[in-house]
Amino acid sequence: QVQLVESGGGLVQAGGSLRLSCSASGRTFSSYAMGWFRQAPGKEREFVAGISRSGGNTYYEESVKGRFTISRDNTKNTLYLQMNSLKPEDTAVYYCAARDGSTVFLDSSWYRYWGQGTQVTVSS
């Protein structure tokens, strides 16, 4: 199994940037497809971005395309989410998640391992 710890959240003004990190420990990080999800108050958890095991394939939710970039460094066992041009509607708790295998799924139920989440708040 793998343990995941997110960091990098915080308070930022609209138009600003944040970089989230997800540090993994335990089983080989490169064994997992990874995803970022977010959950705003009163809303369901939603897919934000995903990346294949090698990093060669990435996927984004429509509203973040062109603003967010997912990446991974398998030598450092770390997943990243670079968030630019942030909007108030990006405010949420952001979670990283891992699933065995190479396929990225948009449905959170496919992911077995989750971090504790990091709060991102974007002020207008």
Side-chain angles (χ1 to χ4, degrees):
Q1 62 179 16
V2 62
Q3 294 77 43
L4 304 172
V5 178
E6 301 97 335
S7 61
L11 173 63
V12 63
Q13 288 189 331
S17 298
L18 282 174
R19 187 194 198 199
L20 305 184
S21 298
C22 173
S23 179
S25 60
R27 194 179 146 196
T28 306
F29 180 61
S30 58
S31 300
Y32 301 95
M34 300 295 297
W36 285 102
F37 292 78
R38 66 186 179 187
Q39 187 167 20
K43 296 186 176 181
E44 293 187 353
R45 191 171 297 187
E46 65 173 357
F47 174 84
V48 175
I51 190 166
S52 61
R53 289 186 298 190
S54 67
N57 294 298
T58 57
Y59 308 85
Y60 297 93
E61 192 271 329
E62 194 63 33
S63 70
V64 308
K65 283 183 180 178
R67 300 189 298 124
F68 290 11
T69 302
I70 188 171
S71 62
R72 66 191 296 164
D73 186 338
N74 287 345
T75 66
K76 296 182 178 180
N77 295 341
T78 305
L79 175 74
Y80 303 100
L81 185 67
Q82 178 67 43
M83 305 187 295
N84 299 327
S85 303
L86 283 160
K87 304 176 181 180
E89 51 264 43
D90 294 318
T91 295
V93 177
Y94 283 71
Y95 300 89
C96 67
R99 66 172 303 274
D100 293 285
S102 61
T103 305
V104 174
F105 288 93
L106 278 61
D107 186 340
S108 62
S109 65
W110 284 96
Y111 293 80
R112 182 174 183 182
Y113 305 104
W114 292 82
Q116 83 289 347
T118 185
Q119 176 70 47
V120 171
T121 303
V122 184
S123 63
S124 58

